[in-house]
Amino acid sequence: MMRQTITVKEAADYIGVSKDTIYNLARHQQIPHVRVGKRILFRSEVLNDWMNQQETESVRTNREN
């Protein structure tokens, strides 16, 4: 059976940011994640959707300025 989730380190590598950035985003509810006990987990397809949304908002904001 394939894993459905990735860890903080894997999410950081996947997005191209530090683990601290991922922890900070999760702490402030700015990135979709799931807590299982003390662990923070992500689904890569949800991260893809989130990144697409962030990209769209960035383009929209830049056009407004």
Side-chain angles (χ1 to χ4, degrees):
M1 185 163 103
M2 282 184 65
R3 281 179 34 202
Q4 298 294 312
T5 59
I6 60 176
T7 65
V8 168
K9 180 180 179 348
E10 292 167 329
D13 291 343
Y14 186 71
I15 294 175
V17 298
S18 71
K19 289 188 335 183
D20 288 341
T21 297
I22 296 292
Y23 280 120
N24 195 31
L25 289 170
R27 183 179 312 113
H28 292 97
Q29 304 298 313
Q30 295 177 327
I31 190 169
H33 64 283
V34 175
R35 283 195 179 268
V36 179
K38 292 183 178 183
R39 297 191 71 193
I40 299 173
L41 301 171
F42 305 87
R43 290 189 298 144
S44 56
E45 63 270 11
V46 173
L47 289 180
N48 284 334
D49 292 342
W50 176 79
M51 287 190 298
N52 287 334
Q53 179 184 3
Q54 297 303 306
E55 187 176 67
T56 300
E57 289 175 12
S58 174
V59 169
R60 187 178 308 126
T61 300
N62 287 335
R63 286 185 182 161
E64 291 173 358
N65 292 330

Short mmCIF file of all heavy atoms in Angstrom, two decimals:
data_model
loop_
_atom_site.label_atom_id
_atom_site.label_comp_id
_atom_site.label_asym_id
_atom_site.label_seq_id
_atom_site.Cartn_x
_atom_site.Cartn_y
_atom_site.Cartn_z
N MET A 1 0.83 -1.18 0.00
CA MET A 1 0.00 0.00 0.00
C MET A 1 0.88 1.25 0.00
O MET A 1 1.83 1.34 0.76
CB MET A 1 -0.90 -0.02 1.24
CG MET A 1 -1.87 1.10 1.29
SD MET A 1 -3.20 0.78 2.46
CE MET A 1 -2.70 1.79 3.81
N MET A 2 0.54 2.22 -0.86
CA MET A 2 1.31 3.45 -0.94
C MET A 2 0.92 4.41 0.18
O MET A 2 -0.24 4.46 0.58
CB MET A 2 1.06 4.16 -2.28
CG MET A 2 1.81 3.55 -3.42
SD MET A 2 1.56 4.50 -4.92
CE MET A 2 2.34 6.04 -4.52
N ARG A 3 1.90 5.14 0.67
CA ARG A 3 1.63 6.17 1.68
C ARG A 3 0.76 7.27 1.09
O ARG A 3 0.93 7.66 -0.05
CB ARG A 3 2.94 6.81 2.14
CG ARG A 3 3.69 5.99 3.11
CD ARG A 3 4.99 6.62 3.55
NE ARG A 3 4.98 8.07 3.62
CZ ARG A 3 6.07 8.82 3.58
NH1 ARG A 3 7.25 8.27 3.43
NH2 ARG A 3 5.99 10.12 3.67
N GLN A 4 -0.13 7.78 1.89
CA GLN A 4 -1.02 8.85 1.46
C GLN A 4 -0.54 10.22 1.93
O GLN A 4 -1.05 11.23 1.49
CB GLN A 4 -2.43 8.60 2.02
CG GLN A 4 -3.06 7.32 1.52
CD GLN A 4 -3.32 7.37 0.01
OE1 GLN A 4 -3.87 8.33 -0.48
NE2 GLN A 4 -2.91 6.34 -0.69
N THR A 5 0.44 10.23 2.83
CA THR A 5 0.89 11.49 3.42
C THR A 5 2.39 11.65 3.30
O THR A 5 3.12 10.68 3.07
CB THR A 5 0.51 11.56 4.91
OG1 THR A 5 1.11 10.46 5.59
CG2 THR A 5 -1.00 11.53 5.09
N ILE A 6 2.83 12.90 3.45
CA ILE A 6 4.26 13.19 3.50
C ILE A 6 4.55 13.97 4.78
O ILE A 6 3.67 14.60 5.36
CB ILE A 6 4.74 13.96 2.25
CG1 ILE A 6 4.02 15.30 2.09
CG2 ILE A 6 4.57 13.11 1.01
CD1 ILE A 6 4.52 16.13 0.92
N THR A 7 5.79 13.92 5.21
CA THR A 7 6.21 14.56 6.46
C THR A 7 6.53 16.03 6.23
O THR A 7 6.55 16.51 5.09
CB THR A 7 7.47 13.87 7.01
OG1 THR A 7 8.54 14.10 6.08
CG2 THR A 7 7.26 12.38 7.22
N VAL A 8 6.81 16.73 7.33
CA VAL A 8 7.20 18.14 7.24
C VAL A 8 8.45 18.29 6.38
O VAL A 8 8.50 19.16 5.50
CB VAL A 8 7.44 18.73 8.65
CG1 VAL A 8 8.11 20.09 8.57
CG2 VAL A 8 6.13 18.82 9.42
N LYS A 9 9.44 17.45 6.60
CA LYS A 9 10.67 17.53 5.81
C LYS A 9 10.38 17.29 4.33
O LYS A 9 10.88 18.01 3.47
CB LYS A 9 11.71 16.53 6.31
CG LYS A 9 13.01 16.60 5.51
CD LYS A 9 14.04 15.63 5.99
CE LYS A 9 15.34 15.63 5.21
NZ LYS A 9 15.41 16.33 3.97
N GLU A 10 9.59 16.28 4.04
CA GLU A 10 9.25 15.98 2.65
C GLU A 10 8.45 17.12 2.02
O GLU A 10 8.68 17.48 0.87
CB GLU A 10 8.48 14.67 2.56
CG GLU A 10 9.33 13.46 2.90
CD GLU A 10 8.52 12.20 3.12
OE1 GLU A 10 7.36 12.29 3.59
OE2 GLU A 10 9.06 11.11 2.83
N ALA A 11 7.53 17.71 2.79
CA ALA A 11 6.75 18.85 2.29
C ALA A 11 7.67 20.04 2.01
O ALA A 11 7.52 20.72 0.99
CB ALA A 11 5.66 19.23 3.28
N ALA A 12 8.60 20.29 2.90
CA ALA A 12 9.55 21.39 2.71
C ALA A 12 10.38 21.18 1.45
O ALA A 12 10.55 22.09 0.64
CB ALA A 12 10.45 21.52 3.94
N ASP A 13 10.88 19.97 1.27
CA ASP A 13 11.66 19.65 0.06
C ASP A 13 10.79 19.77 -1.19
O ASP A 13 11.24 20.28 -2.21
CB ASP A 13 12.22 18.23 0.15
CG ASP A 13 13.31 18.09 1.20
OD1 ASP A 13 13.87 19.13 1.64
OD2 ASP A 13 13.61 16.94 1.59
N TYR A 14 9.57 19.32 -1.10
CA TYR A 14 8.64 19.32 -2.23
C TYR A 14 8.34 20.75 -2.69
O TYR A 14 8.33 21.04 -3.88
CB TYR A 14 7.35 18.61 -1.81
CG TYR A 14 6.35 18.41 -2.90
CD1 TYR A 14 6.58 17.50 -3.93
CD2 TYR A 14 5.15 19.11 -2.90
CE1 TYR A 14 5.65 17.30 -4.94
CE2 TYR A 14 4.21 18.91 -3.89
CZ TYR A 14 4.47 18.01 -4.90
OH TYR A 14 3.54 17.82 -5.90
N ILE A 15 8.12 21.64 -1.72
CA ILE A 15 7.78 23.03 -2.04
C ILE A 15 9.04 23.87 -2.29
O ILE A 15 9.01 24.84 -3.02
CB ILE A 15 6.94 23.65 -0.91
CG1 ILE A 15 5.58 22.95 -0.83
CG2 ILE A 15 6.73 25.14 -1.11
CD1 ILE A 15 4.74 23.39 0.33
N GLY A 16 10.14 23.48 -1.65
CA GLY A 16 11.38 24.22 -1.82
C GLY A 16 11.59 25.29 -0.76
O GLY A 16 12.13 26.36 -1.05
N VAL A 17 11.13 25.01 0.46
CA VAL A 17 11.32 25.93 1.58
C VAL A 17 11.91 25.15 2.75
O VAL A 17 12.06 23.94 2.69
CB VAL A 17 9.98 26.60 2.00
CG1 VAL A 17 9.41 27.44 0.86
CG2 VAL A 17 8.96 25.58 2.46
N SER A 18 12.21 25.87 3.83
CA SER A 18 12.77 25.21 5.01
C SER A 18 11.68 24.53 5.84
O SER A 18 10.50 24.87 5.73
CB SER A 18 13.51 26.23 5.88
OG SER A 18 12.59 27.10 6.50
N LYS A 19 12.10 23.61 6.68
CA LYS A 19 11.16 22.97 7.61
C LYS A 19 10.56 24.01 8.54
O LYS A 19 9.38 23.94 8.86
CB LYS A 19 11.86 21.88 8.43
CG LYS A 19 12.20 20.65 7.65
CD LYS A 19 12.72 19.48 8.47
CE LYS A 19 13.35 19.79 9.77
NZ LYS A 19 13.89 18.62 10.47
N ASP A 20 11.36 25.00 8.96
CA ASP A 20 10.85 26.05 9.84
C ASP A 20 9.71 26.82 9.17
O ASP A 20 8.73 27.17 9.83
CB ASP A 20 11.96 27.03 10.22
CG ASP A 20 12.95 26.44 11.20
OD1 ASP A 20 12.62 25.43 11.87
OD2 ASP A 20 14.07 26.98 11.31
N THR A 21 9.82 27.06 7.88
CA THR A 21 8.76 27.75 7.15
C THR A 21 7.49 26.92 7.16
O THR A 21 6.39 27.43 7.39
CB THR A 21 9.19 28.07 5.71
OG1 THR A 21 10.31 28.96 5.75
CG2 THR A 21 8.07 28.69 4.91
N ILE A 22 7.62 25.62 6.94
CA ILE A 22 6.46 24.73 6.96
C ILE A 22 5.81 24.72 8.34
O ILE A 22 4.59 24.85 8.46
CB ILE A 22 6.85 23.30 6.53
CG1 ILE A 22 7.32 23.27 5.08
CG2 ILE A 22 5.70 22.33 6.76
CD1 ILE A 22 6.24 23.55 4.06
N TYR A 23 6.62 24.60 9.39
CA TYR A 23 6.08 24.62 10.75
C TYR A 23 5.35 25.93 11.02
O TYR A 23 4.27 25.94 11.61
CB TYR A 23 7.19 24.43 11.79
CG TYR A 23 7.62 23.01 11.98
CD1 TYR A 23 8.93 22.62 11.74
CD2 TYR A 23 6.73 22.03 12.42
CE1 TYR A 23 9.35 21.31 11.93
CE2 TYR A 23 7.12 20.71 12.60
CZ TYR A 23 8.43 20.36 12.36
OH TYR A 23 8.82 19.07 12.54
N ASN A 24 5.93 27.04 10.58
CA ASN A 24 5.32 28.36 10.79
C ASN A 24 3.99 28.47 10.04
O ASN A 24 3.00 28.96 10.59
CB ASN A 24 6.29 29.45 10.35
CG ASN A 24 5.90 30.82 10.85
OD1 ASN A 24 5.30 30.94 11.91
ND2 ASN A 24 6.24 31.84 10.09
N LEU A 25 3.95 28.03 8.80
CA LEU A 25 2.71 28.07 8.01
C LEU A 25 1.64 27.21 8.66
O LEU A 25 0.47 27.61 8.75
CB LEU A 25 2.98 27.60 6.58
CG LEU A 25 3.79 28.54 5.69
CD1 LEU A 25 4.19 27.83 4.40
CD2 LEU A 25 3.02 29.81 5.40
N ALA A 26 2.01 26.03 9.14
CA ALA A 26 1.05 25.14 9.79
C ALA A 26 0.56 25.75 11.10
O ALA A 26 -0.64 25.71 11.40
CB ALA A 26 1.68 23.77 10.03
N ARG A 27 1.46 26.32 11.86
CA ARG A 27 1.11 26.93 13.15
C ARG A 27 0.07 28.03 12.97
O ARG A 27 -0.83 28.21 13.78
CB ARG A 27 2.36 27.49 13.83
CG ARG A 27 2.11 28.08 15.20
CD ARG A 27 3.39 28.62 15.87
NE ARG A 27 4.50 27.70 15.80
CZ ARG A 27 5.63 27.89 15.09
NH1 ARG A 27 5.79 28.98 14.37
NH2 ARG A 27 6.58 27.00 15.10
N HIS A 28 0.20 28.77 11.88
CA HIS A 28 -0.72 29.89 11.62
C HIS A 28 -1.87 29.50 10.69
O HIS A 28 -2.55 30.36 10.15
CB HIS A 28 0.06 31.07 11.05
CG HIS A 28 0.99 31.69 12.04
ND1 HIS A 28 2.33 31.37 12.09
CD2 HIS A 28 0.76 32.55 13.05
CE1 HIS A 28 2.90 32.04 13.07
NE2 HIS A 28 1.96 32.76 13.69
N GLN A 29 -2.06 28.20 10.51
CA GLN A 29 -3.17 27.68 9.68
C GLN A 29 -3.15 28.26 8.27
O GLN A 29 -4.20 28.55 7.69
CB GLN A 29 -4.52 27.98 10.36
CG GLN A 29 -4.66 27.43 11.77
CD GLN A 29 -4.56 25.92 11.82
OE1 GLN A 29 -5.19 25.23 11.04
NE2 GLN A 29 -3.75 25.40 12.73
N GLN A 30 -1.95 28.42 7.70
CA GLN A 30 -1.81 29.00 6.36
C GLN A 30 -1.53 27.95 5.30
O GLN A 30 -1.44 28.30 4.12
CB GLN A 30 -0.71 30.06 6.37
CG GLN A 30 -1.05 31.25 7.23
CD GLN A 30 0.08 32.25 7.29
OE1 GLN A 30 1.25 31.90 7.24
NE2 GLN A 30 -0.27 33.52 7.40
N ILE A 31 -1.37 26.72 5.72
CA ILE A 31 -1.12 25.62 4.77
C ILE A 31 -1.96 24.43 5.23
O ILE A 31 -2.05 24.16 6.43
CB ILE A 31 0.38 25.28 4.71
CG1 ILE A 31 0.69 24.33 3.56
CG2 ILE A 31 0.90 24.74 6.02
CD1 ILE A 31 2.18 24.18 3.28
N PRO A 32 -2.60 23.73 4.30
CA PRO A 32 -3.43 22.59 4.71
C PRO A 32 -2.58 21.44 5.24
O PRO A 32 -1.60 21.05 4.61
CB PRO A 32 -4.17 22.20 3.42
CG PRO A 32 -3.44 22.84 2.31
CD PRO A 32 -2.66 23.98 2.86
N HIS A 33 -2.96 20.94 6.39
CA HIS A 33 -2.21 19.84 7.02
C HIS A 33 -3.14 19.06 7.94
O HIS A 33 -4.25 19.49 8.22
CB HIS A 33 -1.02 20.40 7.81
CG HIS A 33 -1.42 21.28 8.95
ND1 HIS A 33 -1.85 22.58 8.78
CD2 HIS A 33 -1.49 21.04 10.28
CE1 HIS A 33 -2.13 23.10 9.95
NE2 HIS A 33 -1.93 22.19 10.88
N VAL A 34 -2.63 17.94 8.40
CA VAL A 34 -3.35 17.09 9.34
C VAL A 34 -2.41 16.81 10.50
O VAL A 34 -1.23 16.50 10.29
CB VAL A 34 -3.77 15.75 8.67
CG1 VAL A 34 -4.42 14.83 9.67
CG2 VAL A 34 -4.67 16.01 7.50
N ARG A 35 -2.93 16.92 11.70
CA ARG A 35 -2.15 16.54 12.88
C ARG A 35 -2.58 15.15 13.33
O ARG A 35 -3.77 14.88 13.47
CB ARG A 35 -2.37 17.52 14.01
CG ARG A 35 -1.62 18.80 13.84
CD ARG A 35 -1.59 19.56 15.16
NE ARG A 35 -0.86 20.79 15.00
CZ ARG A 35 0.45 20.90 15.24
NH1 ARG A 35 1.13 19.87 15.67
NH2 ARG A 35 1.06 22.05 15.06
N VAL A 36 -1.60 14.30 13.53
CA VAL A 36 -1.83 12.97 14.08
C VAL A 36 -0.93 12.89 15.31
O VAL A 36 0.29 12.74 15.17
CB VAL A 36 -1.51 11.86 13.07
CG1 VAL A 36 -1.73 10.50 13.70
CG2 VAL A 36 -2.32 12.02 11.80
N GLY A 37 -1.53 13.07 16.45
CA GLY A 37 -0.72 13.19 17.66
C GLY A 37 0.11 14.45 17.55
O GLY A 37 -0.40 15.53 17.30
N LYS A 38 1.42 14.31 17.68
CA LYS A 38 2.33 15.45 17.56
C LYS A 38 2.85 15.63 16.14
O LYS A 38 3.51 16.62 15.85
CB LYS A 38 3.51 15.28 18.52
CG LYS A 38 3.11 15.38 19.98
CD LYS A 38 4.32 15.29 20.87
CE LYS A 38 3.91 15.42 22.33
NZ LYS A 38 5.07 15.41 23.22
N ARG A 39 2.55 14.69 15.28
CA ARG A 39 3.06 14.75 13.90
C ARG A 39 2.18 15.64 13.04
O ARG A 39 0.96 15.68 13.19
CB ARG A 39 3.11 13.35 13.30
CG ARG A 39 4.09 12.46 14.05
CD ARG A 39 4.36 11.20 13.33
NE ARG A 39 5.16 11.52 12.16
CZ ARG A 39 5.37 10.67 11.16
NH1 ARG A 39 4.84 9.48 11.19
NH2 ARG A 39 6.12 11.02 10.13
N ILE A 40 2.82 16.34 12.12
CA ILE A 40 2.13 17.14 11.13
C ILE A 40 2.35 16.46 9.79
O ILE A 40 3.49 16.20 9.40
CB ILE A 40 2.67 18.58 11.09
CG1 ILE A 40 2.47 19.26 12.44
CG2 ILE A 40 1.99 19.38 9.98
CD1 ILE A 40 3.14 20.62 12.54
N LEU A 41 1.26 16.16 9.10
CA LEU A 41 1.34 15.44 7.83
C LEU A 41 0.62 16.22 6.74
O LEU A 41 -0.28 17.01 7.01
CB LEU A 41 0.74 14.05 7.98
CG LEU A 41 1.39 13.16 9.04
CD1 LEU A 41 0.57 11.90 9.24
CD2 LEU A 41 2.82 12.83 8.65
N PHE A 42 1.01 15.95 5.51
CA PHE A 42 0.45 16.62 4.34
C PHE A 42 0.15 15.59 3.27
O PHE A 42 0.77 14.54 3.22
CB PHE A 42 1.46 17.62 3.76
CG PHE A 42 1.95 18.61 4.77
CD1 PHE A 42 3.03 18.32 5.59
CD2 PHE A 42 1.34 19.84 4.90
CE1 PHE A 42 3.49 19.24 6.52
CE2 PHE A 42 1.78 20.76 5.83
CZ PHE A 42 2.86 20.45 6.64
N ARG A 43 -0.78 15.92 2.40
CA ARG A 43 -1.01 15.12 1.20
C ARG A 43 -0.49 15.93 0.02
O ARG A 43 -0.84 17.11 -0.12
CB ARG A 43 -2.49 14.79 1.02
CG ARG A 43 -2.98 13.80 2.06
CD ARG A 43 -4.38 13.30 1.79
NE ARG A 43 -5.32 14.41 1.85
CZ ARG A 43 -6.39 14.49 1.05
NH1 ARG A 43 -6.65 13.56 0.17
NH2 ARG A 43 -7.20 15.52 1.16
N SER A 44 0.34 15.33 -0.80
CA SER A 44 0.99 16.08 -1.88
C SER A 44 -0.03 16.68 -2.86
O SER A 44 0.16 17.80 -3.33
CB SER A 44 2.01 15.22 -2.62
OG SER A 44 1.42 14.04 -3.11
N GLU A 45 -1.14 15.97 -3.13
CA GLU A 45 -2.13 16.53 -4.05
C GLU A 45 -2.80 17.76 -3.46
O GLU A 45 -3.12 18.71 -4.18
CB GLU A 45 -3.17 15.50 -4.50
CG GLU A 45 -4.03 14.93 -3.40
CD GLU A 45 -3.45 13.68 -2.74
OE1 GLU A 45 -2.29 13.33 -2.98
OE2 GLU A 45 -4.19 13.06 -1.96
N VAL A 46 -2.96 17.80 -2.14
CA VAL A 46 -3.54 18.98 -1.49
C VAL A 46 -2.53 20.13 -1.53
O VAL A 46 -2.90 21.29 -1.74
CB VAL A 46 -3.97 18.66 -0.04
CG1 VAL A 46 -4.42 19.91 0.70
CG2 VAL A 46 -5.09 17.62 -0.06
N LEU A 47 -1.25 19.81 -1.35
CA LEU A 47 -0.22 20.84 -1.46
C LEU A 47 -0.18 21.42 -2.87
O LEU A 47 0.00 22.63 -3.04
CB LEU A 47 1.16 20.30 -1.07
CG LEU A 47 1.37 20.00 0.41
CD1 LEU A 47 2.77 19.46 0.64
CD2 LEU A 47 1.12 21.22 1.26
N ASN A 48 -0.35 20.57 -3.87
CA ASN A 48 -0.40 21.07 -5.26
C ASN A 48 -1.55 22.06 -5.43
O ASN A 48 -1.37 23.13 -6.02
CB ASN A 48 -0.56 19.92 -6.25
CG ASN A 48 0.70 19.15 -6.46
OD1 ASN A 48 1.80 19.66 -6.29
ND2 ASN A 48 0.56 17.89 -6.82
N ASP A 49 -2.72 21.70 -4.92
CA ASP A 49 -3.88 22.59 -5.01
C ASP A 49 -3.61 23.89 -4.27
O ASP A 49 -3.94 24.97 -4.76
CB ASP A 49 -5.12 21.92 -4.42
CG ASP A 49 -5.62 20.75 -5.25
OD1 ASP A 49 -5.23 20.63 -6.43
OD2 ASP A 49 -6.38 19.93 -4.70
N TRP A 50 -3.01 23.80 -3.09
CA TRP A 50 -2.70 24.99 -2.29
C TRP A 50 -1.71 25.89 -3.04
O TRP A 50 -1.90 27.11 -3.08
CB TRP A 50 -2.14 24.55 -0.93
CG TRP A 50 -1.69 25.70 -0.07
CD1 TRP A 50 -2.48 26.51 0.67
CD2 TRP A 50 -0.35 26.14 0.13
NE1 TRP A 50 -1.71 27.44 1.33
CE2 TRP A 50 -0.40 27.23 1.01
CE3 TRP A 50 0.89 25.71 -0.34
CZ2 TRP A 50 0.74 27.91 1.43
CZ3 TRP A 50 2.03 26.39 0.07
CH2 TRP A 50 1.95 27.47 0.95
N MET A 51 -0.67 25.29 -3.64
CA MET A 51 0.31 26.08 -4.38
C MET A 51 -0.34 26.76 -5.59
O MET A 51 -0.05 27.92 -5.88
CB MET A 51 1.50 25.22 -4.81
CG MET A 51 2.41 24.88 -3.65
SD MET A 51 3.97 24.12 -4.13
CE MET A 51 3.43 22.62 -4.90
N ASN A 52 -1.23 26.05 -6.28
CA ASN A 52 -1.94 26.66 -7.41
C ASN A 52 -2.77 27.85 -6.93
O ASN A 52 -2.81 28.89 -7.59
CB ASN A 52 -2.84 25.63 -8.10
CG ASN A 52 -2.04 24.64 -8.91
OD1 ASN A 52 -0.95 24.92 -9.37
ND2 ASN A 52 -2.59 23.45 -9.09
N GLN A 53 -3.43 27.70 -5.81
CA GLN A 53 -4.23 28.79 -5.24
C GLN A 53 -3.34 29.98 -4.87
O GLN A 53 -3.69 31.13 -5.15
CB GLN A 53 -4.99 28.30 -4.02
CG GLN A 53 -5.83 29.36 -3.37
CD GLN A 53 -6.51 28.85 -2.10
OE1 GLN A 53 -6.31 27.71 -1.67
NE2 GLN A 53 -7.30 29.69 -1.48
N GLN A 54 -2.20 29.70 -4.24
CA GLN A 54 -1.27 30.77 -3.87
C GLN A 54 -0.77 31.51 -5.10
O GLN A 54 -0.65 32.73 -5.11
CB GLN A 54 -0.09 30.20 -3.07
CG GLN A 54 -0.46 29.57 -1.76
CD GLN A 54 -1.19 30.51 -0.85
OE1 GLN A 54 -0.71 31.60 -0.56
NE2 GLN A 54 -2.36 30.10 -0.40
N GLU A 55 -0.48 30.75 -6.14
CA GLU A 55 0.01 31.33 -7.39
C GLU A 55 -1.07 32.24 -8.01
O GLU A 55 -0.77 33.35 -8.44
CB GLU A 55 0.38 30.21 -8.35
CG GLU A 55 1.05 30.66 -9.61
CD GLU A 55 1.45 29.47 -10.44
OE1 GLU A 55 0.55 28.75 -10.93
OE2 GLU A 55 2.66 29.24 -10.58
N THR A 56 -2.30 31.77 -8.04
CA THR A 56 -3.40 32.55 -8.60
C THR A 56 -3.60 33.84 -7.81
O THR A 56 -3.77 34.91 -8.40
CB THR A 56 -4.70 31.71 -8.60
OG1 THR A 56 -4.48 30.55 -9.39
CG2 THR A 56 -5.87 32.50 -9.15
N GLU A 57 -3.58 33.75 -6.49
CA GLU A 57 -3.74 34.94 -5.65
C GLU A 57 -2.59 35.91 -5.85
O GLU A 57 -2.81 37.12 -5.86
CB GLU A 57 -3.86 34.53 -4.19
CG GLU A 57 -5.16 33.85 -3.85
CD GLU A 57 -5.22 33.34 -2.42
OE1 GLU A 57 -4.35 33.70 -1.60
OE2 GLU A 57 -6.15 32.58 -2.11
N SER A 58 -1.38 35.39 -6.03
CA SER A 58 -0.22 36.24 -6.25
C SER A 58 -0.36 37.02 -7.56
O SER A 58 -0.09 38.22 -7.61
CB SER A 58 1.05 35.39 -6.28
OG SER A 58 2.16 36.18 -6.63
N VAL A 59 -0.78 36.34 -8.60
CA VAL A 59 -0.97 36.99 -9.90
C VAL A 59 -2.07 38.05 -9.79
O VAL A 59 -1.93 39.17 -10.28
CB VAL A 59 -1.30 35.95 -11.00
CG1 VAL A 59 -1.75 36.62 -12.28
CG2 VAL A 59 -0.09 35.06 -11.25
N ARG A 60 -3.16 37.71 -9.13
CA ARG A 60 -4.28 38.65 -8.96
C ARG A 60 -3.83 39.88 -8.18
O ARG A 60 -4.14 41.00 -8.57
CB ARG A 60 -5.44 37.97 -8.23
CG ARG A 60 -6.68 38.82 -8.17
CD ARG A 60 -7.86 38.13 -7.48
NE ARG A 60 -8.12 36.81 -8.05
CZ ARG A 60 -8.18 35.69 -7.34
NH1 ARG A 60 -7.99 35.71 -6.03
NH2 ARG A 60 -8.44 34.54 -7.91
N THR A 61 -3.07 39.68 -7.11
CA THR A 61 -2.59 40.79 -6.30
C THR A 61 -1.65 41.69 -7.11
O THR A 61 -1.73 42.91 -7.02
CB THR A 61 -1.87 40.26 -5.04
OG1 THR A 61 -2.79 39.48 -4.27
CG2 THR A 61 -1.36 41.40 -4.19
N ASN A 62 -0.77 41.07 -7.89
CA ASN A 62 0.17 41.85 -8.69
C ASN A 62 -0.55 42.67 -9.76
O ASN A 62 -0.12 43.77 -10.08
CB ASN A 62 1.21 40.94 -9.34
CG ASN A 62 2.21 40.42 -8.33
OD1 ASN A 62 2.44 41.03 -7.29
ND2 ASN A 62 2.80 39.28 -8.62
N ARG A 63 -1.61 42.16 -10.30
CA ARG A 63 -2.38 42.90 -11.31
C ARG A 63 -3.11 44.09 -10.70
O ARG A 63 -3.30 45.09 -11.36
CB ARG A 63 -3.39 41.98 -11.99
CG ARG A 63 -2.76 41.03 -12.95
CD ARG A 63 -3.81 40.23 -13.67
NE ARG A 63 -3.17 39.27 -14.56
CZ ARG A 63 -3.76 38.21 -15.05
NH1 ARG A 63 -5.03 37.97 -14.77
NH2 ARG A 63 -3.11 37.39 -15.84
N GLU A 64 -3.51 43.96 -9.43
CA GLU A 64 -4.25 45.02 -8.77
C GLU A 64 -3.33 46.18 -8.37
O GLU A 64 -3.78 47.29 -8.19
CB GLU A 64 -4.96 44.50 -7.53
CG GLU A 64 -6.11 43.56 -7.88
CD GLU A 64 -6.71 42.90 -6.65
OE1 GLU A 64 -6.23 43.15 -5.53
OE2 GLU A 64 -7.67 42.13 -6.83
N ASN A 65 -2.03 45.91 -8.24
CA ASN A 65 -1.09 46.95 -7.82
C ASN A 65 -0.50 47.68 -8.97
O ASN A 65 -0.37 47.59 -9.99
CB ASN A 65 0.05 46.35 -6.97
CG ASN A 65 -0.49 45.87 -5.64
OD1 ASN A 65 -1.45 46.41 -5.13
ND2 ASN A 65 0.13 44.87 -5.09
#
